[in-house]
Amino acid sequence: MKRVVVAMSGGVDSSVTSYILKKMGYDVVGVTIKMFENQEKYLKDAETVAKKLDIKWEMIDKSIEFKETVISYFINSYRKGLTPNPCAYCNRNAKFFFLYNEMLKYGADHIATGHYANIVEVDGHKYIKKSANTQKDQSYYLALIRNDLLDKLLFPLGMMDKLEVRKIASSIGLEVAEKKDSQEVCFLEGGDYRDYLKKMIDPNKIKKGYFIYNGERIMEHEGIEFYTVGQRRGLGIGYHKPLYVKHIDPVTFDIHLTDENRSGFRGVRLHNCNWFGSPKKLFRAQARLRYRMKDANLLVEILPDDRAHLLFDEPQPFPAPGQVAAIYNKDILLGGGFIEGVF
């Protein structure tokens, strides 16, 4: 019997994932990773589900490691004028790293999560494929995970929709069947990231500067930590037309503004890229520069030192340095990287 380590968050997706795999004949080991404080309810829910399903369960406390990697990355990115993507970063540097170690510890064959995505094989290479449920597809957040993990990954929910998952949970009597979906950035616990940063950063070290529009100072801002490229709302500027954040200068701490008519960029530079399979150095593809964005056609040029240039067919609004670009061939995820800048 093959053994699988399932990441159990205490939510309905990971709970049904565990149930499906057990029904398929796997020896399921549920692992719940404690990554920050105030997770007691999630831990209890995961333990309760594991008992209901009669599977082995363990909680591992990785809160120190999570703080030193993901939370520090999150805070430091904003302090550098970048827009972080903590979920994609966590999948690369924390969550799947922890799960891989648990897989080795238990002598398991696979790792499984409740992500809405699929694993497929094309021309002898494993790839991540978009979920059949386009509204819940989470492949974007998996663009940076290690290539060598694809042979180990299972995503049982890839061909399902949320309603179907909840029906399964309800049919087997799981109390989490109607539990709300988890927040996108888990450690914010549904709060505003600005409030979180204000608690975590010494007020005397906030990087204040000026809003700049058409080369002129408009007013002082609250600190570069509290703004992102493309932001319009919450600037606190009374102006006769909409203004957007175009560029955040981490040296002068000034925030440069633009109006909507000058927001498009065709060229995007990536660094710390991650690729699946063996892509060509120059190829046509589609890309998503943020989770909610529609895929856009482009030309990809892979460069040395894990870098790449993206040239879109049409200008893209406000590519945000620090965010993740996910590269696709239709439904197949080819890889991705962090946005470094535009050209």
Side-chain angles (χ1 to χ4, degrees):
M1 180 184 294
K2 287 191 174 183
R3 178 173 291 172
V4 58
V5 167
V6 179
M8 296 187 69
S9 65
V12 65
D13 293 332
S14 60
S15 298
V16 171
T17 293
S18 300
Y19 167 75
I20 290 173
L21 290 170
K22 182 178 180 182
K23 193 175 180 181
M24 291 172 63
Y26 284 92
D27 176 15
V28 178
V29 179
V31 173
T32 302
I33 308 170
K34 181 181 179 181
M35 295 188 179
F36 54 95
E37 299 303 320
N38 303 321
Q39 283 188 282
E40 287 72 19
K41 180 65 167 65
Y42 296 97
L43 300 177
K44 184 63 178 176
D45 285 346
E47 183 179 17
T48 300
V49 169
K51 288 180 179 178
K52 176 78 174 179
L53 298 179
D54 191 26
I55 61 175
K56 181 178 176 59
W57 178 82
E58 180 185 8
M59 185 277 287
I60 57 173
D61 189 344
K62 294 295 182 180
S63 54
I64 294 176
E65 293 91 333
F66 186 78
K67 182 177 181 180
E68 291 175 347
T69 53
V70 179
I71 292 180
S72 64
Y73 150 80
F74 180 80
I75 295 171
N76 290 334
S77 293
Y78 278 114
R79 303 216 72 205
K80 295 174 183 176
L82 304 175
T83 304
N85 192 312
C87 297
Y89 187 89
C90 177
N91 284 337
R92 169 74 183 190
N93 297 289
K95 182 176 182 176
F96 282 91
F97 175 73
F98 301 149
L99 291 172
Y100 180 76
N101 287 337
E102 291 300 298
M103 184 190 74
L104 295 179
K105 183 177 79 174
Y106 283 103
D109 304 280
H110 295 286
I111 297 167
T113 70
H115 282 94
Y116 287 84
N118 293 288
I119 298 291
V120 296
E121 185 169 327
V122 180
D123 297 331
H125 295 288
K126 290 289 183 69
Y127 293 92
I128 294 170
K129 184 180 179 181
K130 291 179 183 178
S131 169
N133 176 10
T134 57
Q135 297 299 314
K136 286 290 292 181
D137 172 55
Q138 295 173 309
S139 61
Y140 170 84
Y141 292 115
L142 301 169
L144 303 181
I145 65 170
R146 285 167 33 190
N147 196 343
D148 61 334
L149 284 181
L150 298 192
D151 279 331
K152 306 295 183 183
L153 294 183
L154 299 175
F155 298 132
L157 307 187
M159 299 303 293
M160 303 172 69
D161 61 34
K162 191 73 176 197
L163 180 60
E164 186 179 358
V165 170
R166 291 195 184 280
K167 283 183 177 179
I168 292 174
S170 180
S171 70
I172 59 177
L174 297 184
E175 294 181 5
V176 298
E178 297 303 323
K179 189 174 181 179
K180 291 182 179 180
D181 290 347
S182 59
Q183 299 296 323
E184 194 169 296
V185 182
C186 59
F187 57 88
L188 295 183
E189 301 178 77
D192 189 278
Y193 81 91
R194 298 170 185 84
D195 295 331
Y196 183 83
L197 292 175
K198 287 175 182 177
K199 291 190 297 184
M200 301 297 289
I201 302 173
D202 183 343
N204 296 317
K205 295 183 179 180
I206 297 295
K207 298 177 178 179
K208 294 187 176 182
Y210 292 90
F211 286 121
I212 308 293
Y213 178 61
N214 283 342
E216 297 183 0
R217 288 182 176 179
I218 296 180
M219 59 180 287
E220 188 178 46
H221 59 69
E222 295 184 2
I224 65 171
E225 295 88 347
F226 309 122
Y227 304 91
T228 62
V229 169
Q231 180 178 339
R232 173 191 171 187
R233 299 182 184 276
L235 299 181
I237 299 172
Y239 207 73
H240 64 274
K241 60 180 175 179
L243 295 179
Y244 299 79
V245 175
K246 177 182 179 181
H247 172 66
I248 299 174
D249 192 322
V251 177
T252 65
F253 309 151
D254 288 334
I255 296 177
H256 296 264
L257 305 175
T258 185
D259 56 62
E260 191 172 14
N261 294 327
R262 292 181 289 171
S263 61
F265 297 91
R266 289 188 61 202
V268 176
R269 300 192 308 273
L270 304 184
H271 67 120
N272 291 344
C273 292
N274 177 66
W275 302 105
F276 304 121
S278 301
K280 298 178 181 179
K281 298 300 180 183
L282 192 68
F283 59 94
R284 296 280 303 172
Q286 300 81 46
R288 193 181 301 175
L289 301 183
R290 61 185 68 85
Y291 176 54
R292 299 295 180 188
M293 168 186 168
K294 291 183 179 179
D295 293 355
N297 293 318
L298 79 162
L299 181 68
V300 180
E301 181 183 11
I302 298 179
L303 302 172
D305 301 321
D306 297 325
R307 294 178 176 273
H309 281 173
L310 311 181
L311 184 63
F312 287 88
D313 293 357
E314 301 292 338
Q316 300 301 304
F318 304 113
Q323 270 291 337
V324 169
I327 314 298
Y328 294 89
N329 178 11
K330 297 181 180 178
D331 289 340
I332 303 298
L333 180 63
L334 302 178
F338 289 100
I339 298 174
E340 185 176 45
V342 298
F343 62 91

